[in-house]
Amino acid sequence: MPSIRILSPDVASKIRAGEVIDRPAAVVKELVENAIDAGSRLVAVQVAANPERTIRVQDDGAGMSREDALLSLKRHATSKLASDSDLEAIRTLGFRGEALAAIAEVSRLTLSTRSADDLSGTQVEVLGGATLQVQGVGRAVGTTITVEDLFFNTPARLRFLKSREAESRVLSRVVWSYVLTYPAIHWRFKVEGKEDTDLPVAGDLLERWQILYGRNVAEGAEPFEHESGGVTVRGVLGAPEQARVNRDHQVVAVNGRVIVSPAVGAALRQGYGNLIPSDRNPMAVVSIEIDPSKIDVNVHPTKREVRFRDEARLFHAVRSSVENAMRRYVPVSMAGDAARAEGGPWGPHGGAGPRSGGPGGQGSGVAETFGVGTAVAQAEMDGLEVARALYAPPEGVPSEVREGDAETLRETLTESEIQIWQLHDRYLLAPIRGGLVIVDQHAAHERILYEEARERLYGEQSVSQHLLFPRVLDVAPDELDRLLLLEPHVRRLGYEVSLFGERQVAIRAVPASVPEDAAVGALQSLLARDESHLDSAGDPPEEHVAKTFACHAAVRSGQTLSLEERRALIDRLFATSLPHGDPHGRATYVRVSMEELDRRFGRR
Ligand code: ADP
Ligand code: MG
């Protein structure tokens, strides 16, 4: 490590106002960042139950000579920045040379350190910024900084602290963020009377994640990595069903610096799409590597925000990498796929079976259980056919032939011996390789119809079923206005609606994929603005139409489904691009692994 110099007034003036040490967590953050900058392999953080009493951070990094140890406690003393051109491309976490000085001014600080070049170490004791004692000590290479009685001489700041529990919580979050950002560092974290964690160097981030969060929570979490436009985004993404109410389980780091970034948080959230409810936040570690000249870390006093010179690109990089990773999360490997792949009535979906699984699925628990579907395979599927099997007879097919179809279908099912149970006319239960899925029939169908509606609305030709007898509806004036507004979209879906006198409209055709009554009901809801359970405020009209249609045309909870219908529903669900959630982000299914069952029954 280069030795410490005092920054020239010129450079110092370009640096944003001094480090703000406002609470114990800020002390820990600065000390931990210094330890990382010193190239440490081991960092141990030890805190009293009342964190302002004692905070100790010990590392095995480069350490300091006696001269540097004394300098390090002065303002604008840093080894990390030589000229202001360095300020353009900062690679270290520190650069202002102020943290140690700022901490030392408001506490009793003991610095003990030894560099590899020295035979013995140095210990400096400072009280409220005044040096009390400097002496030689025998110690290993590395640095230990102990901060006691924080804010003893600034009672105002002391008064602003929250309860010791709250302060400990914030402090722990800081430590865990770094623990998750640096799996190659051996961490120890001890909070008196509460926490005592030893985390040896982890093989990879996922391993650290599993140790930190425990097996249950970690299940389904996947590492990801994606490079685009010179930005590398990597980390771990928690399973959608583990999403949390708050963002406490999200860590965002840029070039190894843990930051707070609403933009990255939003991109992450968007990447999950509606796999998770809108009021939930995914668990994730998002580590961004970017050319340091493309960011400005000198924007915030505590350095917890950075400015991206091209925020749009960054946003895109994060969102698309998360979206990509989520695609792998599609479970398609239903038991008995073989029968379907051979072209039974649900033949088209064979394409999404495990044999066509995309790359990258092997090795992870989720992939083993479910196989991996590629976006391409899914795109090739014809949703309409299955939806038709779900409900409506194909047009123009005489009923005897349909009977025959049903026969073939039943045979296929018997052959493949798949059971799908319906529970209280609400949930479908099906065995899958490695466990069981429980599907919410309404939510699942909603997801299917939503994707299908979007396909129609944004391109593909719709297929209509013409009604033998047009259905005539009474409409209020405002409903009529809405119909005029939405008619082009509604037509794309497969409806044919025309005026029928002053206060009535005639529906002559409805989308082929749902039964007549459901289709008519959905249109009525759309006109009546029945959005009680929709969250589509601000959506473009197509999106609004798609969501309303899906929600109102989908099978209800409480509706009994035939075996064929259950099969079609599950098949089709797992062929959608985002089967995990309905369009509002509610879960469509829950999976239970054999491991979990075995665990619960005490088999392992
Ligand atoms: P900055 O990190 O911005 O340089 P600090 O006040 O945090 O400023 O630290 C001042 C200097 O003290 C650092 O530049 C570094 O040279 C030295 N230093 C601080 N902590 C350590 C440590 N744990 N190990 C080695 N050197 C350290
Ligand atoms: Mg520092």
Side-chain angles (χ1 to χ4, degrees), residues 17 45 50-51 73 77 89 97 111 144 153 201 227 292 342 378 385 395 407 418 422 442 449 508 513 517 519 524 591:
V45 179
N50 201 345
L73 295 159
L111 161 65
T144 306
N153 54 354
V201 174
E227 201 263 314
E342 278 149 26
Q378 284 150 20
E385 274 179 61
E395 303 138 276
E407 269 317 306
I418 303 180
Q422 193 178 20
H442 174 71
L449 292 178
R508 298 180 193 281
S513 54
D517 283 345
Q524 274 177 308
R591 64 202 156 79

Side-chain angles (χ1 to χ4, degrees), residues 524-600:
Q524 274 177 308
S525 305
L526 192 63
L527 298 184
R529 253 179 178 279
D530 179 0
E531 293 157 21
S532 40
H533 48 305
L534 292 180
D535 51 357
S536 55
D539 279 345
E542 295 91 332
E543 189 70 9
H544 173 69
V545 168
K547 280 186 183 165
T548 313
F549 171 75
C551 181
H552 291 278
V555 293
R556 302 272 130 207
S557 179
Q559 199 165 325
T560 309
L561 301 179
S562 69
L563 184 53
E564 300 86 71
E565 289 170 337
R566 296 174 213 165
R567 270 290 296 272
L569 190 67
I570 289 190
D571 274 2
R572 182 56 187 141
L573 173 68
F574 291 135
T576 60
S577 66
L578 293 171
H580 208 289
D582 74 5
H584 325 294
R586 286 186 296 257
T588 49
Y589 71 91
V590 168
R591 64 202 156 79
V592 183
S593 67
M594 288 307 278
E595 286 91 41
E596 183 176 347
L597 289 174
D598 287 348
R599 209 155 49 226
R600 290 193 168 207

Side-chain angles (χ1 to χ4, degrees), residues 69-369:
L70 291 168
L71 264 180
S72 71
L73 295 159
K74 304 265 179 285
R75 290 248 168 207
H76 298 307
T78 179
S79 56
K80 302 170 192 174
L81 205 63
S83 68
D84 60 355
S85 66
D86 286 357
L87 210 45
E88 304 288 303
I90 291 165
R91 287 170 195 282
T92 48
L93 301 176
F95 55 89
R96 294 184 179 135
E98 287 190 309
L100 285 189
I103 297 166
E105 273 165 26
V106 292
S107 67
R108 170 191 295 275
L109 183 148
T110 310
L111 161 65
S112 148
T113 184
R114 188 190 132 199
S115 80
D117 297 336
D118 296 318
L119 291 175
S120 69
T122 308
Q123 181 168 306
V124 186
E125 262 179 77
V126 187
L127 180 66
T131 306
L132 297 183
Q133 199 179 40
V134 183
Q135 65 189 79
V137 286
R139 58 155 296 141
V141 173
T143 304
T144 306
I145 294 182
T146 309
V147 176
E148 291 162 293
D149 301 329
L150 186 66
F151 304 140
F152 79 96
N153 54 354
T154 53
R157 264 191 250 178
L158 202 53
R159 266 201 304 279
F160 270 102
L161 293 185
K162 305 239 163 57
S163 70
R164 67 154 97 157
E165 288 74 25
E167 293 299 332
S168 297
R169 239 186 343 263
V170 179
L171 187 153
S172 295
R173 264 213 79 198
V174 169
V175 175
W176 292 135
S177 317
Y178 279 95
V179 163
L180 281 169
T181 305
Y182 290 89
I185 291 180
H186 178 171
W187 294 88
R188 287 202 189 116
F189 182 37
K190 196 165 172 183
V191 180
E192 186 194 322
K194 250 172 63 190
E195 168 104 50
D196 191 354
T197 318
D198 187 35
L199 293 154
V201 174
D204 56 33
L205 183 53
L206 187 62
E207 186 184 321
R208 175 137 299 170
W209 173 288
Q210 283 161 347
I211 293 172
L212 214 53
Y213 289 133
R215 246 180 99 172
N216 279 345
V217 173
E219 200 174 323
E222 288 228 49
F224 74 111
E225 178 162 353
H226 184 80
E227 201 263 314
S228 80
V231 183
T232 303
V233 187
R234 64 164 74 85
V236 169
L237 299 171
E241 65 265 29
Q242 294 294 347
R244 299 295 153 116
V245 178
N246 56 35
R247 290 189 170 176
D248 284 357
H249 294 78
Q250 287 179 8
V251 175
V252 177
V254 176
N255 292 349
R257 177 190 308 281
V258 174
I259 60 157
V260 173
S261 171
V264 174
L268 169 69
R269 182 65 192 72
Q270 285 192 16
Y272 272 76
N274 38 37
L275 291 177
I276 54 179
S278 52
D279 60 347
R280 296 278 160 139
N281 297 287
M283 297 178 72
V285 178
V286 179
S287 233
I288 299 165
E289 295 294 334
I290 186 170
D291 177 348
S293 69
K294 300 236 158 47
I295 56 173
D296 187 356
V297 295
N298 187 24
V299 288
H300 192 275
T302 64
K303 298 174 295 192
R304 67 193 178 88
E305 285 172 26
V306 305
R307 184 180 300 136
F308 298 97
R309 304 221 194 278
D310 188 348
E311 183 151 317
R313 169 174 299 186
L314 180 95
F315 190 91
H316 179 79
V318 173
R319 191 184 58 192
S320 56
S321 60
V322 176
E323 272 171 0
N324 263 346
M326 284 304 117
R327 269 192 202 114
R328 299 180 171 193
Y329 205 74
V330 175
V332 287
S333 164
M334 305 287 295
D337 247 76
R340 273 175 293 142
E342 278 149 26
W346 290 287
H349 308 288
R355 287 156 309 282
S356 67
Q362 274 70 39
S364 80
V366 175
E368 270 161 36
T369 314

Side-chain angles (χ1 to χ4, degrees), residues 30 34 80 94 99:
E30 294 298 337
N34 280 346
K80 302 170 192 174

